[in-house]
Amino acid sequence: MKVWAEKEMSNYRRLHSAKIPCPKPILLKSHVLIMEFLGENGWPSPRLKDTQLSERRMRQAYVQTILILRHMYQRCRLVHGDFSEYNLLWHDIRFYVIDV
């Protein structure tokens, strides 16, 4: 469990330093990873699965997701093992990748 959390922290640091939209990693203590909260008024930002985007927004979101994947690989040499509608948060009119 601890090794997994250390790897995820490392991946978040790599993404964040490469300016790829993800929650900012804050602290790792034992197997607990603390990250920036994405949401408003105590409510978390929705996953892509839970959003209702217009057709225009969905097209913009598609381009964003392609760029996220491309930049993850080109800048960080990372491939997301579960890049899905469950691991993208819609926050401030853009997607943030989680669970890396």
Side-chain angles (χ1 to χ4, degrees), residues 1-92:
M1 198 64 133
K2 184 179 179 197
V3 173
W4 171 83
E6 289 170 351
K7 183 64 175 168
E8 187 159 16
M9 180 68 155
S10 170
N11 290 344
Y12 273 114
R13 283 183 177 150
R14 289 167 67 186
L15 293 178
H16 193 261
S17 67
K19 308 247 185 286
I20 296 168
C22 69
K24 180 181 177 184
I26 297 172
L27 177 70
L28 175 65
K29 185 144 185 161
S30 185
H31 64 280
V32 178
L33 175 60
I34 299 173
M35 299 180 290
E36 166 189 29
F37 176 76
L38 297 177
E40 293 181 16
N41 301 319
W43 293 96
S45 295
R47 300 173 297 182
L48 169 58
K49 174 196 173 307
D50 302 320
T51 61
Q52 296 292 321
L53 302 179
S54 67
E55 187 175 333
R56 179 175 169 265
R57 267 292 181 235
M58 191 59 81
R59 285 188 184 136
Q60 292 172 339
Y62 174 76
V63 171
Q64 286 178 27
T65 58
I66 297 303
L67 290 174
I68 287 171
L69 282 172
R70 181 179 181 182
H71 293 155
M72 281 179 69
Y73 183 72
Q74 288 181 337
R75 297 176 188 172
C76 303
R77 292 294 185 238
L78 290 174
V79 175
H80 198 296
D82 187 16
F83 196 79
S84 70
E85 69 271 23
Y86 294 92
N87 291 324
L88 291 167
L89 299 181
W90 184 250
H91 181 73
D92 288 339

